[in-house]
Amino acid sequence: MKRSELQNNLAMTIALISAAMLFVTLFMGYAVYRSSAEAWPPVGMAHVSLTLPFLSTIFIAVSSWFCFQVKNLVAINDLKRANRNLNLTMLMGVGFMISQSFLWLQLKESGIYVTSGIFASVMYGFTWIHAVHVIGGLLALVYLKIVLRPKTNELLQKTINVERFWHFLGIVWFAMFMGMFVF
Amino acid sequence: MSGGYNEIHPEPTTFWSKYIISFDHKVIAKQFMWYGIFFLGLGGMMALLIRWTLTYPGQPFPIIGNLLFPHSAGVVPPDSYAMLFTMHGTIMIFYAITPLLIGAFGNYCIPLMIGARDMAFPMLNMLSFWFAFLSGIVLVASLLLPLGAAAGGWTSYPTLSTMIGSPGAGQTLWCVAIFLFGVSSTMGAVNYVTTVITLRAPGMGYFDMPLTIWGLWLTAILNAIFVPVLGAGVILLTMDRVMGTTFFLAGASATSGSGDPVLFQHVFWIFGHPEVYILILPAWGIVSDLLSFFSRKPAFGAKSTALAMTAVTILSTLVYGHHMFTTQMSPLLTQSFMTLTMTISIPSAIFFANWLGTIWKGSIRFDSPMLFSLGVVFVFGLGGLTGLHLGTVSTDIYLHDTYFVVGHFHYTMAASVLLGGYAGLYFWFPKMFGRMMNETLAKIHFWGTMIPLNGIFFGMLMIGYGGMHRRIYNPFVYESLQRLIPINTLVTQSAILMGAFQIVFVINLIWSLYKGKKAPNNPWNVGTLEWTIPSPPVHHNYDVIPVVKCGPHELGNPNLKNGRDFQYQTEELVQGPA
Ligand code: HEM
Ligand SMILES: [Cu+2]
């Protein structure tokens, strides 16, 4: 491996470990809240319907797949098709954000407000924190779109870094989906 | 992110690109240094205000009291007192020690001592400083708010730190500042770890690295893993304060369903215990090297020192519960944490013994960096021993939240890191600025720091053992504490004395910058890579990347024939006759 590749891979790995620790801490908190609660969701609050979270999962999974294609296409230097797949990645990412917004609306309509106690805190708070990261990820995709040109230095390395961050967000969402909505 | 890959970058030419938005690790190191020294002064002033209040309650603080507290005729009011100890702790830990030991020495030493031309990611390095800068501005700005700055202690436990305990924006800005600082630290950590792994000069194995680099590297690893934990904690705390969530609110203060204030303590200390080692590891590394350099002897058991530091790093992630023995955790847990805490003593004792082994029978040169290093050996030894009383559940129940704890962590953290930082500064100043510091003033500074320092912190241990609680405003009102007043007075007067002697340092620093004797390439006669090049180094450090052929501590080898008692790391190890 070239030294520059090694440096990039190492740095990206460490950065992702850092980001993961943030979410690990949130999950640890969640485990404490959930295991010490008498009932989850608390008495008088309905289970959150799975439809929207499921839709979010589909969006982010499909976008991850497109993102994977972007990298493969950049690797064989087919920037035209890479660009098309990048557009689809972003589209699916925006779809994810929209489905999340509907989720927040739905929570509000069913009488669960941000201030309604710990269940609501977790539902809103954690999805917000994740969503802020997704916005960061979308910005990274925009950056990639700007540099997706034959002349860019280390284009593949840059693509790989963005791709890894995007997959990371998908994995975190999947953990949230399973932990907070399914079970 | 794109890497530097050890190429020669063109030298910047404008003032702006040279000194402000600089990508040069040496300039960024100096930026962090001035930043740290500024906050060290600010935090130090706060300490004097705190001590004055504890010893002369109701009396106006001399000279600047009336300026700071015009409404109370120069007396520190109780609410300001809480802000002072909160900001003192926060500033010293995050804004003084971290930038000095990690920001300044990390940036300066890592590339130079491993034979690299810069960090792996110079731009990230620049961003790391400016995030820290922004964070500092937010923190200082919070002092000017109408309701004042954060006042919940540097640990910011809820409920003290929620809207109920701390109304006003001070605590919120505290969270924002800490988060920004965390981003800066994480960026630095990514850079340091990558640089050490990928940019070591050819021939330099991990055990050929100076121990300074070991310390900084382990610190960076801990930073990358644990700073985000605090990041998560302050995000949730901010949400509780700003958006109405109830992560850390319980009982009547939570509207329905209960959050958990103690959870914050867990989160804080999962970060917090590694954090104390984040702060001390660079100092350990520096001291381990300097003891060898100035004893003109190889570092005793250098490899085991490095491994012991690594063991401490790993164990430090498993002991955080010893800060929470009194939170009604189950005895099974307290005893497990106690056992793990005691386990850390083993590697600590190993490298401590190695330090003693290093100076044993050395031909010691008592130059100022050595004096400060020996100071660290003394104060860290004392601080470490007091840790045992606190790590033992049965004694901690009584000592928790007393001045004994305050004395303990000032010995281990404040005193050790301060002295270690000064040792490093006196040692690398010639390389950084190309001039020598004045040795006489440095020695006056050492004794003027070392003696009062022990008055302060040993005094704290004693009043804590005598039962004085930490964070109280006026010890005079408690009958049980009145017999401690003489010791309290000693502590305060020592603090004023020690503060006064820091002026000697500032004078020496400024004077030497402009008027100091020109420094030769290698004023201390040691063999690590940075001393093979001019003082100060050129922009790209090394014209030719050096090739390393031996370890960093090759001093006093009897086979040396060239009139030197040390050899450079670039020289083949001299062997005796077969
Ligand atoms: C040598 C082994 C050490 C042991 C066994 C130890 C043990 C402890 C224990 C049990 C406490 C909690 C006391 C209480 O609150 O009741 C404590 C507090 C503390 N220790 Fe240590 N410690 C050690 C070394 C260090 C070092 C090396 C540092 C820093 C560089 C350090 C910094 C601190 C700090 C900052 C606190 C208190 C924080 C606070 O409550 O505000 N300790 N230590
Ligand atoms: Cu601890």
mmCIF file of all heavy atoms in Angstrom, chain B residues 243-263:
data_model
loop_
_atom_site.group_PDB
_atom_site.id
_atom_site.type_symbol
_atom_site.label_atom_id
_atom_site.label_comp_id
_atom_site.label_asym_id
_atom_site.label_seq_id
_atom_site.Cartn_x
_atom_site.Cartn_y
_atom_site.Cartn_z
ATOM 1 N N MET B 243 -33.766 22.370 24.637
ATOM 2 C CA MET B 243 -34.905 21.859 23.895
ATOM 3 C C MET B 243 -35.954 21.207 24.765
ATOM 4 O O MET B 243 -36.997 20.811 24.269
ATOM 5 C CB MET B 243 -34.421 20.856 22.858
ATOM 6 C CG MET B 243 -33.511 21.513 21.852
ATOM 7 S SD MET B 243 -32.751 20.306 20.826
ATOM 8 C CE MET B 243 -31.757 21.364 19.788
ATOM 9 N N GLY B 244 -35.675 21.052 26.037
ATOM 10 C CA GLY B 244 -36.699 20.524 26.926
ATOM 11 C C GLY B 244 -36.729 19.014 27.044
ATOM 12 O O GLY B 244 -37.706 18.451 27.534
ATOM 13 N N THR B 245 -35.698 18.330 26.597
ATOM 14 C CA THR B 245 -35.639 16.895 26.858
ATOM 15 C C THR B 245 -35.325 16.667 28.335
ATOM 16 O O THR B 245 -35.015 17.617 29.067
ATOM 17 C CB THR B 245 -34.531 16.234 26.017
ATOM 18 O OG1 THR B 245 -33.310 16.947 26.247
ATOM 19 C CG2 THR B 245 -34.862 16.282 24.540
ATOM 20 N N THR B 246 -35.405 15.406 28.768
ATOM 21 C CA THR B 246 -35.201 15.138 30.197
ATOM 22 C C THR B 246 -34.211 14.000 30.410
ATOM 23 O O THR B 246 -34.419 13.134 31.244
ATOM 24 C CB THR B 246 -36.530 14.754 30.878
ATOM 25 O OG1 THR B 246 -37.058 13.606 30.200
ATOM 26 C CG2 THR B 246 -37.526 15.875 30.822
ATOM 27 N N PHE B 247 -33.109 14.025 29.641
ATOM 28 C CA PHE B 247 -32.146 12.925 29.772
ATOM 29 C C PHE B 247 -31.599 12.825 31.189
ATOM 30 O O PHE B 247 -31.406 11.741 31.711
ATOM 31 C CB PHE B 247 -30.986 13.122 28.796
ATOM 32 C CG PHE B 247 -31.375 12.913 27.362
ATOM 33 C CD1 PHE B 247 -31.439 13.988 26.484
ATOM 34 C CD2 PHE B 247 -31.669 11.646 26.901
ATOM 35 C CE1 PHE B 247 -31.794 13.788 25.162
ATOM 36 C CE2 PHE B 247 -32.028 11.439 25.576
ATOM 37 C CZ PHE B 247 -32.097 12.513 24.707
ATOM 38 N N PHE B 248 -31.316 13.978 31.776
ATOM 39 C CA PHE B 248 -30.654 13.951 33.082
ATOM 40 C C PHE B 248 -31.521 14.530 34.191
ATOM 41 O O PHE B 248 -31.021 14.929 35.228
ATOM 42 C CB PHE B 248 -29.320 14.714 33.004
ATOM 43 C CG PHE B 248 -28.378 14.133 31.981
ATOM 44 C CD1 PHE B 248 -27.808 14.935 31.004
ATOM 45 C CD2 PHE B 248 -28.068 12.783 31.993
ATOM 46 C CE1 PHE B 248 -26.948 14.406 30.063
ATOM 47 C CE2 PHE B 248 -27.207 12.233 31.057
ATOM 48 C CZ PHE B 248 -26.652 13.041 30.085
ATOM 49 N N LEU B 249 -32.828 14.614 33.938
ATOM 50 C CA LEU B 249 -33.717 15.135 34.971
ATOM 51 C C LEU B 249 -34.518 13.997 35.564
ATOM 52 O O LEU B 249 -34.975 13.113 34.852
ATOM 53 C CB LEU B 249 -34.684 16.151 34.360
ATOM 54 C CG LEU B 249 -34.057 17.449 33.872
ATOM 55 C CD1 LEU B 249 -35.073 18.258 33.113
ATOM 56 C CD2 LEU B 249 -33.520 18.234 35.048
ATOM 57 N N ALA B 250 -34.689 14.024 36.871
ATOM 58 C CA ALA B 250 -35.465 12.968 37.496
ATOM 59 C C ALA B 250 -36.479 13.565 38.444
ATOM 60 O O ALA B 250 -36.429 14.748 38.746
ATOM 61 C CB ALA B 250 -34.548 12.009 38.249
ATOM 62 N N GLY B 251 -37.386 12.731 38.913
ATOM 63 C CA GLY B 251 -38.334 13.137 39.930
ATOM 64 C C GLY B 251 -39.203 14.274 39.471
ATOM 65 O O GLY B 251 -39.609 14.348 38.315
ATOM 66 N N ALA B 252 -39.464 15.208 40.385
ATOM 67 C CA ALA B 252 -40.420 16.269 40.103
ATOM 68 C C ALA B 252 -39.946 17.171 38.968
ATOM 69 O O ALA B 252 -40.741 17.814 38.303
ATOM 70 C CB ALA B 252 -40.644 17.113 41.357
ATOM 71 N N SER B 253 -38.631 17.196 38.739
ATOM 72 C CA SER B 253 -38.144 18.099 37.716
ATOM 73 C C SER B 253 -38.360 17.535 36.317
ATOM 74 O O SER B 253 -38.291 18.244 35.324
ATOM 75 C CB SER B 253 -36.663 18.392 37.938
ATOM 76 O OG SER B 253 -35.966 17.199 38.197
ATOM 77 N N ALA B 254 -38.622 16.236 36.207
ATOM 78 C CA ALA B 254 -38.948 15.673 34.901
ATOM 79 C C ALA B 254 -40.451 15.572 34.808
ATOM 80 O O ALA B 254 -41.123 15.216 35.768
ATOM 81 C CB ALA B 254 -38.323 14.291 34.763
ATOM 82 N N THR B 255 -40.988 15.910 33.616
ATOM 83 C CA THR B 255 -42.437 15.986 33.531
ATOM 84 C C THR B 255 -43.091 14.617 33.614
ATOM 85 O O THR B 255 -43.962 14.381 34.425
ATOM 86 C CB THR B 255 -42.873 16.704 32.246
ATOM 87 O OG1 THR B 255 -41.958 16.335 31.225
ATOM 88 C CG2 THR B 255 -42.871 18.191 32.454
ATOM 89 N N SER B 256 -42.680 13.687 32.762
ATOM 90 C CA SER B 256 -43.242 12.345 32.890
ATOM 91 C C SER B 256 -42.205 11.347 32.419
ATOM 92 O O SER B 256 -41.488 11.603 31.472
ATOM 93 C CB SER B 256 -44.518 12.196 32.054
ATOM 94 O OG SER B 256 -44.172 11.916 30.717
ATOM 95 N N GLY B 257 -42.121 10.241 33.101
ATOM 96 C CA GLY B 257 -41.058 9.299 32.790
ATOM 97 C C GLY B 257 -39.787 9.957 33.285
ATOM 98 O O GLY B 257 -39.651 11.164 33.255
ATOM 99 N N SER B 258 -38.837 9.167 33.747
ATOM 100 C CA SER B 258 -37.749 9.779 34.474
ATOM 101 C C SER B 258 -36.427 9.608 33.752
ATOM 102 O O SER B 258 -36.099 8.535 33.279
ATOM 103 C CB SER B 258 -37.694 9.141 35.859
ATOM 104 O OG SER B 258 -36.805 9.857 36.649
ATOM 105 N N GLY B 259 -35.683 10.705 33.655
ATOM 106 C CA GLY B 259 -34.312 10.615 33.193
ATOM 107 C C GLY B 259 -33.429 10.194 34.342
ATOM 108 O O GLY B 259 -33.924 9.763 35.382
ATOM 109 N N ASP B 260 -32.125 10.345 34.185
ATOM 110 C CA ASP B 260 -31.224 9.796 35.184
ATOM 111 C C ASP B 260 -30.005 10.695 35.366
ATOM 112 O O ASP B 260 -29.088 10.665 34.563
ATOM 113 C CB ASP B 260 -30.801 8.397 34.733
ATOM 114 C CG ASP B 260 -29.992 7.696 35.803
ATOM 115 O OD1 ASP B 260 -29.676 8.326 36.828
ATOM 116 O OD2 ASP B 260 -29.680 6.507 35.604
ATOM 117 N N PRO B 261 -29.991 11.486 36.449
ATOM 118 C CA PRO B 261 -28.845 12.383 36.661
ATOM 119 C C PRO B 261 -27.540 11.619 36.839
ATOM 120 O O PRO B 261 -26.483 12.086 36.419
ATOM 121 C CB PRO B 261 -29.193 13.132 37.954
ATOM 122 C CG PRO B 261 -30.594 12.824 38.245
ATOM 123 C CD PRO B 261 -30.995 11.611 37.492
ATOM 124 N N VAL B 262 -27.615 10.451 37.458
ATOM 125 C CA VAL B 262 -26.375 9.718 37.719
ATOM 126 C C VAL B 262 -25.757 9.202 36.417
ATOM 127 O O VAL B 262 -24.549 9.024 36.324
ATOM 128 C CB VAL B 262 -26.624 8.575 38.733
ATOM 129 C CG1 VAL B 262 -25.352 7.782 38.970
ATOM 130 C CG2 VAL B 262 -27.123 9.150 40.042
ATOM 131 N N LEU B 263 -26.609 9.014 35.395
ATOM 132 C CA LEU B 263 -26.066 8.566 34.117
ATOM 133 C C LEU B 263 -25.008 9.542 33.614
ATOM 134 O O LEU B 263 -23.997 9.150 33.047
ATOM 135 C CB LEU B 263 -27.193 8.430 33.081
ATOM 136 C CG LEU B 263 -26.708 7.974 31.710
ATOM 137 C CD1 LEU B 263 -26.211 6.541 31.775
ATOM 138 C CD2 LEU B 263 -27.795 8.103 30.668
#
